[in-house]
Amino acid sequence: MQTQSLNSQDIKVTPFKQKLSQPLTKTAISVLQINLGKRCNLACTHCHVEASPKRTEELSPEICAQLIELIDKFPQIQTVDLTGGAPEMNYGFKPLVAAAKKTGKQVIVRSNLTIYFADGFGDLPEYFAENKLRIVASLPCYLADNVDKMRGAGVFDDSIKALQWLNRLGYGKESDLILDLVYNPQLPKAEKFSLAPEQTNLEKAYKMFLQEHFDIVFNNLFTITNLPVGRTKMYLERQKLSASYLQFLESNFNAGTVEHLMCRNQLSIDYLGNVYDCDFNQMMNLPAKSHNGETLTIASLLAAGSLDLIDEIQTAAYCYGCTAGCGSSCGGALV
């Protein structure tokens, strides 16, 4: 784990574009990541979406119908990645799963695990197993205190019960029932910052601890850097750590991560039908642009009959979070 202390009060960060040897461009789009809305049964301290039980924003029937048309129309989409908020709580979740499964696409659901114990959602584990959905579940540490500090009292215990439930259904054991976990670092309390530990070794530690203490098995661990977006950004600003954290990320920039960035083969869609290069750009309202500078929507993709309308990916200073150290993505480390 890399750690660095920064004391300068006057900190400058190089524009991300200037760090690159050439413009950051798209490859053929194969992943459609859909943020169904901000409704969630939790309000995690590091949530870049700023989701919570008080939020009501979610997909509309009209946008859901457009997304289903998009999924039907483009066989190049290999993966439909459903996120939120708690995606399961927001309108359109099961119709989008059905559309993706009907066209033979992999479906990822980014689950907080505790939703299974909320009223009206107790059918989810069996539903996931029946439809062979790949579950990517947040468990930012394997120690209860750390998880509950980030996600709320009792979340660790509920997460453990949920993982045991999924294991009983075959998740983590059968080849077509994939269960992945996500690690996030703790938010810093001072100008002493850390990147995530090396993913392979941390995965071994997670597997050993969870199996020994709870008889839990899973497939992969993904380490994801806390980007200065959403609640993480607000926290860093309150602690007067925002600029120094960005400089720390820049100082650990790894050019070898750039070709593997998730924004290159992915479109991120919000609950209003707007198109972004990634979920972080979505939360910072930095929309994707077409060849001619047009701001893209699902409707414009359908009208053009193409998903590949973007030449250059929109970037910002927080992109250093995805390119620091071993890199970071929705699928974990990049190199």
Side-chain angles (χ1 to χ4, degrees):
M1 187 188 296
Q2 290 175 284
T3 303
Q4 181 172 329
S5 182
L6 299 164
N7 299 310
S8 170
Q9 297 302 307
D10 184 24
I11 293 167
K12 291 185 168 49
V13 176
T14 308
F16 186 76
K17 266 190 184 182
Q18 292 181 20
K19 211 76 171 179
L20 305 177
S21 57
Q22 57 191 24
L24 188 59
T25 56
K26 290 282 195 191
T27 57
I29 298 301
S30 59
V31 177
L32 191 67
Q33 187 175 74
I34 305 167
N35 190 302
L36 281 78
K38 297 181 184 287
R39 295 177 64 209
C40 190
N41 60 313
L42 301 178
C44 302
T45 58
H46 64 300
C47 179
H48 70 281
V49 180
E50 300 173 53
S52 83
K54 296 180 180 178
R55 302 299 290 264
T56 58
E57 306 96 315
E58 65 179 338
L59 207 62
S60 68
E62 178 191 9
I63 299 301
C64 184
Q66 289 182 354
L67 282 164
I68 289 170
E69 185 180 352
L70 201 71
I71 290 166
D72 286 344
K73 188 170 185 176
F74 295 102
Q76 75 186 79
I77 299 171
Q78 297 169 15
T79 300
V80 175
D81 185 343
L82 301 175
T83 185
E88 307 98 323
M89 288 184 76
N90 290 275
Y91 179 86
F93 175 72
K94 288 185 177 179
L96 289 170
V97 168
K101 295 301 293 184
K102 185 183 77 174
T103 51
K105 305 182 195 313
Q106 180 189 54
V107 180
I108 294 173
V109 54
R110 296 191 180 270
S111 181
N112 67 30
L113 299 173
T114 65
I115 186 64
Y116 314 155
F117 304 107
D119 288 346
F121 298 99
D123 67 321
L124 285 174
E126 283 77 9
Y127 172 78
F128 291 170
E130 285 165 14
N131 288 279
K132 302 190 186 308
L133 307 190
R134 182 171 186 165
I135 300 172
V136 178
S138 179
L139 192 72
C141 185
Y142 53 72
L143 301 176
D145 284 352
N146 287 344
V147 171
D148 286 358
K149 277 177 194 168
M150 291 177 80
R151 311 195 69 206
V155 168
F156 181 81
D157 287 344
D158 279 349
S159 298
I160 292 300
K161 286 186 246 176
L163 291 170
Q164 291 169 333
W165 187 350
L166 293 170
N167 278 175
R168 289 194 296 273
L169 294 171
Y171 270 99
K173 299 175 180 179
E174 297 176 18
S175 61
D176 55 357
L177 295 177
I178 304 298
L179 173 61
D180 301 322
L181 301 183
V182 173
Y183 163 89
N184 293 94
Q186 298 287 303
L187 294 175
K189 292 193 168 109
E191 287 192 336
K192 192 171 184 182
F193 305 119
S194 300
L195 298 178
E198 199 278 324
Q199 184 168 281
T200 304
N201 289 334
L202 187 61
E203 179 180 290
K204 288 176 185 172
Y206 260 72
K207 285 186 171 178
M208 187 180 300
F209 186 90
L210 291 176
Q211 184 148 40
E212 182 180 337
H213 290 83
F214 305 107
D215 198 28
I216 286 170
V217 295
F218 66 95
N219 294 95
N220 307 289
L221 179 73
F222 299 147
T223 56
I224 298 184
T225 301
N226 289 321
L227 267 69
V229 172
R231 288 201 188 111
T232 296
K233 180 175 187 281
M234 290 187 280
Y235 169 85
L236 292 167
E237 287 173 346
R238 285 197 305 272
Q239 302 295 318
K240 298 186 170 35
L241 296 172
S242 186
S244 52
Y245 183 62
L246 275 172
Q247 191 185 65
F248 165 74
L249 294 175
E250 182 192 349
S251 71
N252 285 281
F253 174 75
N254 178 358
T257 63
V258 174
E259 67 176 300
H260 306 292
L261 288 171
M262 62 183 178
C263 56
R264 301 203 64 209
N265 70 330
Q266 171 186 285
L267 294 179
S268 172
I269 315 287
D270 71 7
Y271 62 91
L272 296 171
N274 300 307
V275 178
Y276 303 82
D277 292 306
C278 73
D279 199 45
F280 299 113
N281 280 0
Q282 182 182 142
M283 296 312 137
M284 295 301 286
N285 197 27
L286 185 61
K289 302 280 188 182
S290 69
H291 312 304
N292 58 11
E294 174 195 2
T295 298
L296 293 173
T297 64
I298 307 172
S300 59
L301 296 176
L302 289 168
S306 175
L307 300 178
D308 300 300
L309 301 178
I310 301 164
D311 281 336
E312 189 170 349
I313 294 164
Q314 302 298 307
T315 60
Y318 50 79
C319 297
Y320 284 119
C322 291
T323 54
C326 292
S328 179
S329 75
C330 288
L334 298 174
V335 294

